[in-house]
Every structure is written in structure tokens, then in C-alpha cells.
Amino acid sequence: MMLRVVTQGAEARAELGRIGQRLADTQAQAEQVREILAQVQQRGDQALVDYTRQFDQQELSPADFLVSGSALDAAYQQVSPELLAAIRLAHKRITEFHQQRVPQTWVQFAPDGMVLGKRYTAVDKAGVYVPGGRAAYPSTVLMNCIPARVAGVERVVMVTPPGAEGAVHPAVLVAAQECGVQEIYRIGGAQAIGALAFGTATIPWVDVVTGPGNVYVTLAKKQVYGRVGIDSLAGPSEVLIIADGTAKANQVAADLLAQAEHDPSAAAILLTTDSTLAQAVAQEVAMQLEHHPRRLLTEKSIAHYGLVVVVESLAQAAELANEFAPEHLELAVAAPWDLLPQIRHAGAIFLGHHTPEALGDYLAGPNHTLPTSGAARFSSALGVETFLKASSIVAASPASLHQLGEAVVVLAQAEGLHSHAESVRLRLEP
Amino acid sequence: MMLRVVTQGAEARAELGRIGQRLADTQAQAEQVREILAQVQQRGDQALVDYTRQFDQQELSPADFLVSGSALDAAYQQVSPELLAAIRLAHKRITEFHQQRVPQTWVQFAPDGMVLGKRYTAVDKAGVYVPGGRAAYPSTVLMNCIPARVAGVERVVMVTPPGAEGAVHPAVLVAAQECGVQEIYRIGGAQAIGALAFGTATIPWVDVVTGPGNVYVTLAKKQVYGRVGIDSLAGPSEVLIIADGTAKANQVAADLLAQAEHDPSAAAILLTTDSTLAQAVAQEVAMQLEHHPRRLLTEKSIAHYGLVVVVESLAQAAELANEFAPEHLELAVAAPWDLLPQIRHAGAIFLGHHTPEALGDYLAGPNHTLPTSGAARFSSALGVETFLKASSIVAASPASLHQLGEAVVVLAQAEGLHSHAESVRLRLEP
């Protein structure tokens, strides 16, 4: 049986620690990415042409980068009516969720005439990275473009590696167009991140770069961070399920495999109070793997980063979950809302037996771009906020300056900043 | 005359571009920081002891890192009553501002039984870096610790380099205690950031690291970003002032110098429609510099990164300001609220002739930790949000799963994710 079952607390902690640190980019990869970014910054489009030949085996000239209007049109003929309807349903639900609680500009007026506030504005330009590779990901398009649109970003640009025949998958092109995004460049990898950060003759530089990718894309995002904003540094995906005896083994097993099938580095963890369920899930996983279309990849993930822990109590499970701070947390227990207050760190929480993570991956509404590798300790899902920024607003009246000025002078002097004090003093002069 | 006055649009753009890119950390510095972080990760406290000897010329054992209770107590006797009162006034005003619009947990209940929402929680532990060096910065303490406290962070830890005699400035210790922070370690530089990211036997690892520092501190924050959250990558400070003929030359000059006196790399820029004011400000800057206590440093900044541009209109000034995206923007014009809508990118905006930036630096209320080097295009001031994170909440009912399940299956199949579809199908079975 491939899925290990662990019953000792110490062993469980050690294993969870190991799995939590499975993301290991190397210094050599970072060097390679540094070189790619430097080339893109110096040589622009020509570097993109060269890297696309090298990494994607496609011969594109800069004029070919942009997906043509006819390819955009044709894409609608190439997806099934069912898929189009599903994309539209997802678009509607994700939009509605992201429209909730968008930060709004505010000012407040103090009695002494001081006006303070925060003014929110959208970034001018956003760049969205959509991975190619193993599959087409229209859901990634929706989850990145919709928050940018809701934020009010005027120009949203997408980059995605060209497929085997040089084309972009029609489902991706349809999803983009449903979000009102038509500017799509067939460039992938670290070089695409470089293009969005520095700009080339063909591809505009942007203010914020979002979207998931492989380790090279992630390292590139880390290196350009500061010059542009980024959503987060995404590692391999992970689910942690807390289940009691009321959970069904086949459903839990499918949920674990739904994570494992993403990537050989994905992690799928079950913490359960029920040792019978633990064994049943392990058996179900083996069974469901037998005819799995991605069996090899999924087995690898389960073998390396799959784990079942039999815990003594749901409280212990919550504690272990908080230490792991999973990207996805399922509470497959009889009373999930009662367990929720014990959870401190998780990217997204799925409550109850009728809420498979897949629902949230596609169209429940919340964003599926979530903090991984323990980053849920300190960060949140991609959201409208990713594409907004606030400017503080301060407008003092003569009265308020007179009331506060002396304290500013005292503090400025304590910090040895002469002109800070002077800038106030000169205004307090009669 | 040291402060250059430029009247040609093209020259102004070139100069603003040069100033905007003045932040230049080197590959060698990044390597050095990588080595420091690796040493701290491997050798813990001993690495801190060694680097403190090397960089701060202090011989501290791990037991000496923590500022003692008696030093904390003594600090209150070492600051003047005026300074204590000013710190308390600043604390009150900054707290009140940061208590506005704190993101709140919400859930919404759909008619079909689906519950969606966002649950905000504070990070468990935060680490605040407070620079030493040229001066003591109690304002930095307040601006970092108060938002952490308002967010509800349970453990706030401070690190700051030991001064010339090994002590931390009493004003810093008082400001920290006013924020309820007593856990202060006398460690600075990149090694302090490493300690907060990895933890040592003496210093706890934290979830979020905030606070300004020199280029080594900033590079260290960039390198540990992802393992911990950070506030931002702070570059040298900058002010851009838009002034018309109603501005007073001596006040504008003092505001420019208040920026320049921070750091030889600070930038101080004036855009004005009034060429008489331009000349008068340049003269005032020269005059105020004559007896400036930090004359050498401030002259350097003014000479390299000081600039006056005579613009044709306030609209042109706004356009140039948006391209520069300054950390601090003063609108020293007759009708600042009328100009505000034309501003898209600025960290903080100070409106009118009675609002010197120094007011915002210390106690107007908004945070003084702001995006620099053009980062205002995509990021915001440090805030309560820096110490909060949201977990998405999804709880489906049987009815909602039945309504949405088929679309999830269609999307999962389009993305080639078999178990995603299966996890829903198994739950739709009768």
C-alpha cells in the first residue's frame, strides 16, 4: 500500500515537517533564471525568440507572439457548448464573490479641520501568467483575470507558453475573452516574467505580475519582485483533510488524489480520528489509482508526499494543521463549524462532506490562487487587493498644524532631523 | 547653486528616470547577504555573535541579545517629559488611524445553502526591524508595532543593532513599551533578518518581518520573502512636491531638505508652474543648507538627487508625478483637492500649504512606511493588513453541490484532472 499511515505523534510531526519543506529550488536554478532575466532586459524580443526556440521548440518571430484575432474568434468554435457554459457559470460566480468587500476610498474630517484617509486606485497594467505544459487551465485564466477586472485594471495582458503546435488551447482563449482580455502573448517560462517586468519592443512592462508556474517562473517572480508587484510565490499544491468517522472513504480518497494528480510534488494529507477510516482511505486510494489516467505522476506524489495520520482528537488534528498551514484544508467532520475556531492558518477552508476542494478550484467563487508551503501563516488568496493600492491622504488645516506642530518638532529633534522640525516651524511662524 | 533647475520636458523626464532608478544593489551585496543568511540558518546564535562583533563592534553573548528589564525601565527616566508626551500623542493618533477599516471576517448565505466568506486572522508572530546607525527612530517603532498590535498579533518581537556603547536608544525602548513590545533583541543587519526568518536558540522565527533598513537589510528581506511575509522592499526615501505660485519658497525648501537629510541617496524633487518660485526655492535650499547640522550628507543628496522642474501646467506636473510614482507627494498648490483626481500613483499625498510631510512622518496618523522607487505604482503603505491574512470559506449544501457539480465535472475534464471530477461525481451519486 503506497499511502503511508502513521499513528505516532512524533513521527507525524517529522513527516509533516518534511512534506512542508518539499519545495526546494536550487541555487543553480536561481542563477539560470538570473541569466534569462538579464538577457530579456538587454536583448528584449530577440531573447524571447531564442528562449522560445530553446525551451518550447517553437520558431516564433516577435510579430507572432500576439495571439491573432482570428485565433481568438476560432477558439469559440473549438470548445463544446457545455464547456462554454461551465466557463460562463464559473465567471459569473467568481466575479460575484470578488465584488464583495472591495476596499473603498475613504476620508474622515476631524473637528480641527484635519482630513485623513486612504484613496484606492487600480494599477495601470497587469500581467497574468498562465501555464501550459501538462494541460490547459482555463480556471487559472478566470482566477487571475477576474480580480484584475473587478479592481478596474485598464490593461490586462496574458502570457502563456505556445503548445506543441505553437497554438494556445482554445479553452484558455475563450476564458480570457470572457474576462475581456484579448492581449495574449505566446511566451512562457522565466523569459515571459522578464518580458512583463522589463518590457520589450513587443510586450509591455506591467505593474503587477500574477499567476502560477513551474520553479523557473516562481524564481523569476521572486527576482523581479520590487520592480513589479507579484501575487505570491506559488509552490506545489497541497491539501490537508481533517476527517472523523462520518467521512466516506471513497470521497476522501478522491479528494486526496485530486491534489496528487496536479504534480509529482503535490502533497495530500489526511488527519483522522478514525483508524478504520484511515485504512479504508489508503485502500481506496490504491483502488482509484489503478485506472487513473495520470497514474504514474499521481502515484509518485502519493508515494512521496501522501500521508495519513491517525490522531487522538480533532483538537490535535487542528494543531497539526495549524503547524502545517495548508493551502487547502477540508473539514470532513460531522460538525465542521465547531472545529473552525480552532483553525488559525489555511489558505482556503472547505467545510463538511458536501464540499470537495474541486468545487473551490473551479467555481464556488473564492480564488483558487492560494498560499502554499506554509505561506498561509502570513498571506492570503490572490484577490482584488492584488491589483489595488492605496495612497494615504493627509490635509492639515492651520488649526490642526498649530495643535500638533510642537510635538512634531520634539520628535524630529529626538531623531536628529533638523529640516523636519524646520518645515513645521516655518509654518507656525505668525 | 547646487539644486538644479530644469525647464525642458525631455531633460526633466530623463532626470526623473535617472533619479527613480537610483536604488542599485549589487550582485556582490546579494552574495554577501546570501552567505550571512546561510550562516545564521546553520550556526544560529554563534553566527549572530560573530557578525555583531564584525559589523557592530560589540561583544555580545546570546544571553545579552535581549534588552534587560532594567534597561527597559531606565529608558523612561532617560527621555524628556516633552518627548514622552509627543510619543504618546503620536501613539494615540497612529492607533486611531489604523483602527479604521480593518478588514473583518464575513460570510454570506446563498438561498441554495452555499456559504461563502473570508475569515481574517492575525499572524502568530511578527518581527520588527528598527535601524540604528545615524540616529534613533522611535517613529519607526510606532509605525511598525502599532499596526501589528491593532491586527491582534500576540507576539511582537523587535530587533535593532546595538549602539556605540552596546545600548539601544531610550526613545526607541520607550516607544516600544508604549506599544506593549518588551521583547527586543540587540541584533542588526542582514543577520537579524536571518534570525527572524529561521529562528535561533535565542531569537524566535516569526511569520512576518517588517521595518526599514540599509541595502543589506533590504536584500535579506527579499531573500527570505516566501519563507516569511515582509512589508515591502524599502529603497531610499523620496519626496516630490508639486507647487504653484501660492507656495512659499522657504517652506518648500525646508520640505525638500527634510527629505534630503535622511540619506545621501534620498531624492527631493520640485515640479512647479512658477519659474520665480523655482529660483527662490533653489536659493532657499542653499541658504538653509549653510548652517544645517547634517550639511555634508544633505548636500550630497541635493546635488545628486535634487531637482527642480519648471512645468507648463499642473496637468503636466501630475503626469510626471504619476510616471515617477513618488513615496511622498506634496500638493503645495492653491486648490490641492482639485488636483488630486489627476494623481494615480503615490504612497502618501499631502494636500495644501499647511501639510508638511513631516506631519505625516510622525503623527498625522497614516503609516510612514511607504513604497519607494516607483513601487507606489503597485503597492501601499504598511498597514494592519500586513499582519492579517484571510482564509477563504466554502461550505456547500447537498442542493448547491447538485446544482454546480456538473459544471465542475466539465471543467475538470477540460483540464484533464480526473480525480477532480471524480471527487464531485462520488458525492452526486444517489
Side-chain angles (χ1 to χ4, degrees), chain B residues 37 40 116 190 194 208 221 240 245 288 296 311-312 336 357 375 391:
Chain B
L37 294 178
V40 172
L116 298 176
V208 171
K221 284 169 73 180
L240 189 149
Q288 292 185 24
L296 272 182
V311 292
E312 282 165 23
E357 186 213 306
S391 300

Side-chain angles (χ1 to χ4, degrees), chain B residues 66 115 196 331 354:
Chain B
L66 188 69
V115 185
L196 293 173
L331 303 183
H354 307 289

Side-chain angles (χ1 to χ4, degrees), chain B residues 17-97:
Chain B
R18 180 185 67 78
I19 295 171
Q21 282 165 32
R22 72 198 180 285
L23 171 69
D25 49 74
T26 65
Q27 201 50 44
Q29 289 170 323
E31 283 302 332
Q32 202 181 336
V33 167
R34 225 184 311 283
E35 171 63 15
I36 292 172
L37 294 178
Q39 288 290 327
V40 172
Q41 188 169 18
Q42 287 158 30
R43 298 172 53 234
D45 282 341
Q46 191 51 51
L48 300 181
V49 168
D50 294 345
Y51 286 125
T52 302
R53 186 185 304 119
Q54 183 182 343
F55 296 128
D56 302 308
Q57 290 80 48
Q58 298 294 326
E59 192 65 44
L60 299 183
S61 77
D64 302 325
F65 293 165
L66 188 69
V67 172
S68 68
S70 58
L72 290 177
D73 291 344
Y76 275 93
Q77 310 309 318
Q78 294 165 322
V79 301
S80 69
E82 293 74 29
L83 182 54
L84 179 57
I87 287 172
R88 286 186 169 157
L89 176 64
H91 183 276
K92 176 172 175 291
R93 294 189 56 92
I94 297 163
T95 301
E96 283 171 2
F97 184 86

